[in-house]
Amino acid sequence: MEDFQFASILVSTIRYAPVLIFAAMAGLFAERSGVVDIGLEGKILASAFVSAGVAYTYQDPWIGIAAGILASTALALVQAFVSITQKGNQLVAGIAINIAMSGLTFVVAQYFFQQGGRTPDLGEARLSTVVLPGAELVAGVPGLGWFWTRLVGGHSPLVYFAFALLPIVHWVLFHSRFGLRLRACGENPHAADAAGISVQRTRYTAMIIAGVLCSFSGAYLSIVQSGFFLRDMSAGAGYLALTALVFGNWRPLHTVLGCLMFGFFAAVQIQIEGVDLPVVGRIPGSLIQMIPYIVTVVVLAGLMAKSVAPKALGKPFVKSR
Amino acid sequence: MKTTELPRWASGFVLPVLNLLSALLVSALVIHLLGESPLESLQILVNSAVINPEGLSYTLFYASTFVFTGLAVSIAMKAGLFNIGAEGQMYLGGLGLTLAMLSFDATLSGWLLIPLAIVASAVFGAAWAFIPGYLQAKRGSHVVVTTIMFNFIAAGLMNFLILKMVPEGDQNPASRVFTDAAAIPQLSTWLPFFGENTPLNLAFLLALVALAIYWVAVSRSSWGYKLQATGLNAHAAHYAGVRISRTIIVTMLISGGLAGLAAVNSILGSTHYLSLNFPAGAGFIGIAIALMGRQHPIGILLSAVLFGALIQGGFDLSLEKPNIPQETFIFIQGLIILFCGAMENMYAPAVLKLINATRTKG
């Protein structure tokens, strides 16, 4: 029985992690370019609502996802305008977007669907899962069957996309010309500027990429995981993704590992609720819920590793004359 | 003569008003899109939040809480610290207050209970802010990220602790009700104008006192000078002999204590018991208030009253207009933070141009 539970924790970890991975990779682009992206939460929420609402209306998950991309990118552009063009406080801009979206998504959902700020169940408009080749063949084999049909297979396409992002992001960031420029803008924008790179344009591009990537996180929440939009359903995922980013030292691989760790604890929390454990007895889910945050504070305190942020992070770029 | 810098009246008054108007204009547009009349809505809002005495009482009651969270965020901002954790600190302040009441409300009189509650809430709030402050000062971990974490940890902790306080047989996640002696007297006892049983209470006066102390401490004391120097240029302050890490820790302690005090008005002034999620976003509203009030005591008071009015008026408006639920005002809050906080200087060039134009004419 113990083993079986551990297996389902692993499966839920894989299912939960994409929410964080998409958002964290979005944050990675924004922050490596020098813009603090504390507004991930708001973008996730906007995209979760818009994609669920549109997917339900047109009964097509892909149209929903496309609409979600538009919503999240529009917000990213607002954030970019405030942070880059207006040179405003980037933290404040992000928090404002989070708070505004928490209210607006409810209001608009209530206006259109009259169901207490949620969208109707998507039903057929949910994203279907992928059945891997040979799944039927190995389904009966102990161990291998579980591995191939439940752990690796049987997820929605977005899950595979999330994990495929890791090598893509790594390549773009560290091996492409754009990535080099992006990192230069985040580390030393004046040097980048002197080398003929437009810091403004690079940062805007980074924010657009962040908007697009972040939208998948929201779409995944509503179109894949729950099958409807619910008020404040992101429940801190944006902040958690940001934390994974800090935890992972703004490096793709470590950030994804951080996301998996948070996913793991979320899965443990659900599994362990109300279960009698040997020695310790019942552990309330609310306490397990705190573990990732405590771990992060410990990491931030430099007790496990030193986190090094991009040097120009959060500083608006003023071109020197 | 041409000026390159805005005069104080313009940067302290004209810009915030222009920013606020922009936020309200966007809100009006959204209300229009929801199929309701913005002007009529504004009328209902002002009527029920300011003109109606009972409504005004509620407005000022909410404002009392917001003054404390606003001061909490403001004082940290003065030292260059962005304390996003006022929500969690207020939550923990409520815990401290409740623990004190549950232990002593049967034995002590009101004259001792209420000061005890005030001290307990401030101490617990300060303690919750101490760790992020210490980590920022000594380990360089950014207070923004740690206070976010501490909000979540506070929420988890309270989810766990409140279940332990629920009296047997009760369903609601809330502690038992404190004795009447622990209630802060309502202002309507002396001022019947406000109507019976409105929650405005002496904590409002406490808030005014806190504003005055804040003004003296920040703008008129040598400690305030060190605080502001740290916020403006930590390196320069360090060379001038300010102990930066000490200033950071002390400021975070005060900030957390102020946020904890916000619980006094909400709990002892109104509900008289600890309930799940009782801060209800007041800590985040504190961010908006600090930004809009530009960390000045009068600005903080005015913005706190404005947000109190939005909450009270918004509640009544949502009853009359089902298309404008209360959540609309969460959205408007966000807009106000965006326009007054992040884009605070958007109109500065235009205003500067205008001032220069009128000066050359005259």
Side-chain angles (χ1 to χ4, degrees):
Chain A
M1 264 336 255
E2 288 292 310
D3 280 350
F4 175 70
Q5 269 190 2
F6 189 67
S8 52
I9 286 176
L10 283 187
V11 172
S12 357
T13 303
I14 303 254
R15 293 218 168 132
Y16 182 72
V19 178
L20 300 179
I21 294 177
F22 285 124
M25 292 298 117
L28 189 62
F29 275 98
E31 302 220 333
R32 276 287 188 162
S33 83
V35 182
V36 173
D37 199 350
I38 219 169
L40 290 169
E41 183 85 1
K43 282 180 275 185
I44 295 177
L45 215 51
S47 149
F49 165 67
V50 171
S51 39
V54 172
Y56 172 78
T57 311
Y58 291 94
Q59 285 296 312
D60 183 337
W62 296 105
I63 297 179
I65 291 174
I69 292 177
L70 288 182
S72 166
T73 310
L75 275 179
L77 282 173
V78 170
Q79 211 182 345
F81 173 75
V82 176
S83 314
I84 303 167
T85 310
Q86 287 287 325
K87 301 183 175 58
N89 186 323
Q90 303 173 0
L91 291 167
V92 177
I95 289 175
I97 285 177
N98 293 345
I99 294 178
M101 285 308 118
S102 165
L104 188 65
T105 49
F106 176 94
V107 174
V108 180
Q110 174 64 12
Y111 179 74
F112 278 113
F113 302 108
Q114 305 283 342
Q115 293 189 1
R118 59 168 276 185
T119 64
D121 273 313
L122 290 175
E124 291 294 298
R126 265 174 91 165
L127 215 53
S128 52
T129 54
V130 174
V131 179
L132 291 182
E136 273 178 51
L137 261 171
V138 295
V141 186
L144 185 65
W146 167 80
F147 178 78
W148 194 244
T149 57
R150 301 252 300 130
L151 190 69
V152 178
H155 302 294
S156 95
L158 282 187
V159 176
Y160 301 104
F161 179 41
F163 285 97
L165 266 182
L166 174 59
I168 300 172
V169 170
H170 180 88
W171 184 84
V172 170
L173 216 51
F174 295 108
H175 298 284
S176 79
R177 208 176 144 94
F178 171 71
L180 180 69
R181 293 178 166 189
L182 184 86
R183 285 181 293 134
C185 291
E187 295 292 336
N188 192 339
H190 289 282
D193 185 56
I197 302 167
S198 165
V199 176
Q200 288 225 344
R201 213 169 72 198
T202 312
R203 287 188 175 174
Y204 262 98
T205 315
M207 287 309 289
I208 291 171
I209 297 175
V212 173
L213 287 181
C214 198
S215 77
F216 291 111
S217 180
Y220 185 79
L221 268 178
S222 61
I223 306 196
V224 177
Q225 276 201 315
S226 58
F228 52 82
F229 169 82
L230 191 68
R231 180 186 184 184
D232 286 333
M233 71 186 304
S234 50
Y239 291 110
L240 213 51
L242 200 69
T243 310
L245 194 58
V246 179
F247 178 89
N249 247 331
W250 291 268
R251 287 176 299 188
L253 176 63
H254 296 78
T255 302
V256 169
L257 288 178
C259 295
L260 285 170
M261 176 191 79
F262 289 144
F264 179 77
F265 278 114
V268 169
Q269 185 208 332
I270 295 160
Q271 280 279 324
I272 219 162
E273 188 94 61
V275 176
D276 278 309
L277 293 176
V279 191
V280 284
R282 280 189 189 189
I283 303 178
S286 51
L287 287 186
I288 292 164
Q289 198 187 337
M290 288 160 38
I291 294 175
Y293 301 110
I294 294 173
V295 171
T296 310
V297 172
V298 171
V299 172
L300 284 171
L303 299 181
M304 280 159 71
K306 191 89 192 123
S307 85
V308 186
K311 280 197 189 62
L313 186 59
K315 297 192 187 94
F317 173 66
V318 183
K319 207 172 158 78
S320 46
R321 291 176 204 280
Chain B
M1 218 187 60
K2 274 202 172 183
T3 172
T4 49
E5 245 180 69
L6 279 178
R8 253 184 98 182
W9 58 266
S11 67
F13 184 73
V14 175
L15 288 187
V17 169
L18 283 177
N19 291 324
L20 183 63
L21 283 179
S22 317
L24 294 183
L25 207 66
V26 179
S27 321
L29 181 73
V30 170
I31 288 176
H32 175 76
L33 289 176
L34 292 174
E36 302 287 352
S37 150
L39 274 180
E40 194 196 341
S41 305
L42 184 68
Q43 209 175 4
I44 297 175
L45 197 135
V46 171
N47 236 327
S48 76
V50 187
I51 296 175
N52 169 1
E54 246 177 66
L56 180 65
S57 167
Y58 273 94
T59 296
L60 295 180
F61 164 71
Y62 294 125
S64 319
T65 302
F66 298 157
V67 163
F68 282 108
T69 54
L71 282 176
V73 180
S74 288
I75 200 151
M77 249 175 216
K78 281 281 183 191
L81 300 163
F82 200 26
N83 178 12
I84 306 184
E87 185 84 1
Q89 290 144 19
M90 179 179 171
Y91 214 168
L92 265 284
L95 175 69
L97 178 156
T98 304
L99 291 179
M101 289 304 100
L102 294 183
S103 329
F104 297 109
D105 73 344
T107 47
L108 296 181
S109 75
W111 291 103
L112 287 170
L113 274 178
I114 293 171
L116 179 70
I118 292 175
V119 172
S121 60
V123 167
F124 270 66
W128 200 245
F130 170 75
I131 310 170
Y134 175 84
L135 291 178
Q136 161 100 39
K138 302 283 185 186
R139 317 273 331 179
S141 28
H142 213 285
V143 94
V144 170
V145 187
T146 42
T147 49
I148 291 175
M149 295 304 110
F150 269 66
N151 280 341
F152 286 113
I153 298 174
L157 192 67
M158 296 297 279
N159 273 339
F160 172 67
L161 289 178
I162 281 185
L163 290 181
K164 311 244 161 211
M165 291 187 222
V166 178
E168 233 170 278
D170 265 18
Q171 295 295 320
N172 283 342
S175 77
R176 72 168 165 82
V177 180
F178 311 147
T179 52
D180 289 346
I184 296 188
Q186 288 167 350
L187 281 185
S188 57
T189 332
W190 299 284
L191 302 166
F193 162 78
F194 283 125
E196 258 178 60
N197 273 326
T198 51
L200 181 63
N201 58 77
L202 285 178
F204 179 64
L205 302 183
L206 198 67
L208 295 182
V209 172
L211 282 165
I213 296 177
Y214 170 90
W215 182 72
V216 173
V218 170
S219 341
R220 287 291 176 272
S221 77
S222 67
W223 178 80
Y225 178 77
K226 288 179 190 168
L227 175 85
Q228 302 209 40
T230 308
L232 290 172
N233 188 336
H235 289 289
H238 177 70
Y239 277 105
V242 178
R243 286 156 76 186
I244 303 297
S245 52
R246 194 189 146 102
T247 310
I248 289 177
I249 293 174
V250 171
T251 308
M252 280 306 283
L253 281 174
I254 298 174
S255 175
L258 284 165
L261 281 174
V264 174
N265 180 56
S266 310
I267 297 182
L268 285 199
S270 168
T271 57
H272 309 304
Y273 57 81
L274 179 75
S275 54
L276 203 61
N277 297 326
F278 85 88
F284 295 110
I285 294 180
I287 299 173
I289 287 166
L291 290 168
M292 213 179 104
R294 304 218 164 184
Q295 297 104 58
H296 189 280
I298 294 175
I300 293 169
L301 178 65
L302 291 178
S303 346
V305 172
L306 173 81
F307 273 88
L310 282 179
I311 303 259
Q312 164 57 17
F315 181 70
D316 278 5
L317 185 59
S318 70
L319 293 180
E320 283 194 40
K321 307 268 178 197
N323 269 353
I324 312 177
Q326 262 197 294
E327 283 72 10
T328 318
F329 291 87
I330 298 179
F331 169 62
I332 295 177
Q333 253 174 52
L335 284 178
I336 293 180
I337 297 181
L338 187 70
F339 280 97
C340 296
M343 299 204 279
E344 53 178 359
N345 292 319
M346 185 168 54
Y347 296 110
V351 173
L352 195 64
K353 225 174 171 179
L354 202 70
I355 290 174
N356 280 326
T358 48
R359 280 196 187 170
T360 43
K361 255 185 218 162

